[in-house]
Amino acid sequence: MVLMVQPRLVNGAFGDPSLFLDFSFGRRAILFDLGDIRNLSARETLRVRHVFISHMHVDHFIGFDELLRLFLHKEVNLHLYGPPGLIRAVQAKLGGYTWNLLNQTSPDFRLHAWEWSPEGFCSRQSFHARCRFEAGKARQEALRSKVLLEEPDFYVEVEMLDHGIPSLAFAFQERLKVNVHKSKLDALGLPVGPWLSTAKKLVRSGAPGDTVVVVDPEREVALADLIVAQALVSDPGERVAYATDFAYTDENVERVVRLAQRSDYFFIESTFLDADAAIASSRRHLTAHQAGEIAARTFAKRAVPMHFSPRYLGREEELLAEFEQGRNSRRSRQN
Ligand SMILES: [Zn+2]
């Protein structure tokens, strides 16, 4: 199966957190977190249109300048999503440079900062290169619960975690895929045709089984008959979850387990070794063992530990081993 996005850690397990989600089709990309992104090629970075930022600690936000420099003379809209304080942070970053060379004839680069609030709305502040990045009028938009971005083929969910400050976790979710099996359709004596797009759309929207689809002026068929005969087969679609910088509390763990449940990829911080559990707790981070336990509870197909503290450079094997121990200890309790 071809995945809709291929996720890749820009700086491996030890460097600044930044996850690049590269679309298999359509020359497009998404970033989860904005640490140093200079390991991406300019071509890759320029595919990005949406960036989701967990929080504005320096190792999660320092890539902003690189992004700004690459996009400055491009006619594009770039969207940044983040926790409360994002708009002020973007404004402060932009305010650190001199923009006298920009004017109404400059390429129309537009930066939109979306600040998420747990009350279910997003405030947007736009900054246009042609207006020298002076803050435009702020707007507020209501959101469908915990969905930050919705598109026809996918959406991005958010969850708020406690890291001493709010830290956002994200999940990319491809929408339900509905595939047609032609041999089964033949067995039902039904032709291929535009009616199938209607049937697929209905299945995707969760229509009841007795919903009738018109095949042609003489024939109609119930959705349930198509599904039982396996002429229409649905697949939940790809899910990529990303959770970093959060304390090991029951509430955080419950939220992350829900967000990453049965994901295809689950990227999770595993910052400290167990021997340093007290430091992990005081900095409101996880140990690799704790991360492994959480990963086991999600039943993710691939769990990827990341955001290793640089103090363990050269000791990656120990972190990976403790992550595996955490997974196995949780699994043995689950069995
Ligand atoms: Zn942090």
Side-chain angles (χ1 to χ4, degrees):
M1 188 181 76
V2 181
L3 292 173
M4 188 175 188
V5 291
Q6 298 288 345
R8 176 173 110 229
L9 284 171
V10 175
N11 303 303
F14 277 103
D16 284 359
S18 228
L19 183 68
F20 186 64
L21 304 179
D22 204 6
F23 283 64
S24 303
F25 309 102
R27 303 203 318 151
R28 177 175 181 185
I30 282 176
L31 273 172
F32 283 170
D33 257 342
L34 194 50
D36 189 345
I37 52 164
R38 287 173 299 170
N39 279 336
L40 291 174
S41 68
R43 189 182 290 195
E44 286 174 320
T45 304
L46 288 169
R47 289 209 283 272
V48 173
R49 290 294 177 273
H50 298 86
V51 183
F52 297 83
I53 295 156
S54 62
H55 61 303
M56 280 77 75
H57 277 159
V58 67
D59 50 337
H60 299 257
F61 195 47
I62 201 161
F64 178 89
D65 288 45
E66 184 68 12
L67 209 60
L68 177 64
R69 185 198 281 242
L70 280 170
F71 277 94
L72 188 53
H73 300 296
K74 302 276 183 268
E75 301 254 349
V76 296
N77 285 287
L78 181 67
H79 299 267
L80 264 57
Y81 300 79
L86 177 75
I87 290 174
R88 186 183 43 77
V90 167
Q91 198 161 4
K93 283 265 195 190
L94 292 167
Y97 297 102
T98 306
W99 301 113
N100 64 304
L101 299 178
L102 295 178
N103 58 43
Q104 284 302 316
T105 63
S106 304
D108 197 13
F109 169 51
R110 294 176 299 267
L111 185 61
H112 310 281
W114 296 84
E115 200 170 289
W116 184 72
S117 122
E119 286 77 44
F121 59 83
C122 244
S123 306
R124 178 172 81 167
Q125 185 91 63
S126 296
F127 304 89
H128 295 196
R130 287 182 172 179
C131 301
R132 298 178 176 172
F133 297 116
E134 274 160 31
K137 234 175 153 188
R139 276 179 39 191
Q140 241 184 27
E141 280 182 30
L143 294 175
R144 183 157 76 83
S145 159
K146 293 190 179 169
V147 173
L148 269 180
L149 173 66
E150 279 201 273
E151 297 213 1
D153 297 328
F154 71 91
Y155 57 91
V156 175
E157 275 181 76
V158 63
E159 192 61 81
M160 185 176 268
L161 307 176
D162 172 24
H163 177 43
I165 53 169
S167 177
L168 303 185
F170 306 106
F172 168 93
Q173 175 67 58
E174 182 182 7
R175 290 195 193 273
L176 184 74
K177 284 197 290 206
V178 184
N179 299 312
V180 178
H181 285 201
K182 174 130 185 344
S183 59
K184 310 281 185 188
L185 210 58
D186 291 344
L188 289 174
L190 294 171
V192 175
W195 69 276
L196 278 168
S197 337
T198 313
K200 283 162 83 172
K201 234 181 250 166
L202 285 166
V203 173
R204 233 184 265 139
S205 68
D210 57 2
T211 308
V212 166
V213 188
V214 177
V215 177
D216 54 37
E218 280 92 52
R219 278 178 294 184
E220 45 188 40
V221 62
L223 281 185
D225 294 339
L226 294 168
I227 292 164
V228 170
Q230 293 189 322
L232 289 185
V233 178
S234 52
D235 175 301
E238 183 185 4
R239 188 172 184 87
V240 180
Y242 174 91
T244 189
D245 291 54
F246 60 97
Y248 191 61
T249 62
D250 289 348
E251 198 173 350
N252 276 345
V253 172
E254 290 309 319
R255 289 179 179 199
V256 170
V257 166
R258 190 206 64 79
L259 185 78
Q261 197 57 222
R262 301 196 184 273
S263 44
D264 295 278
Y265 288 92
F266 175 34
F267 293 83
I268 180 168
E269 75 142 280
S270 304
T271 311
F272 289 93
L273 284 172
D274 237 7
D276 296 320
I279 305 174
S281 158
S282 71
R283 304 221 177 139
R284 310 195 74 70
H285 271 291
L286 299 183
T287 65
H289 191 279
Q290 289 163 345
E293 288 203 3
I294 296 171
R297 287 183 60 190
T298 66
F299 302 98
K301 279 195 195 126
R302 299 174 201 82
V304 185
M306 55 156 216
H307 203 3
F308 296 165
S309 164
R311 70 177 60 205
Y312 307 120
L313 267 172
R315 299 172 68 190
E316 189 170 355
E317 295 304 319
E318 290 172 58
L319 286 151
L320 291 172
E322 288 196 359
F323 183 77
E324 274 316 305
Q325 282 160 16
R327 281 180 97 175
N328 294 332
S329 71
R330 178 71 207 188
R331 280 186 186 137
S332 57
R333 269 183 280 148
Q334 275 163 348
N335 290 334

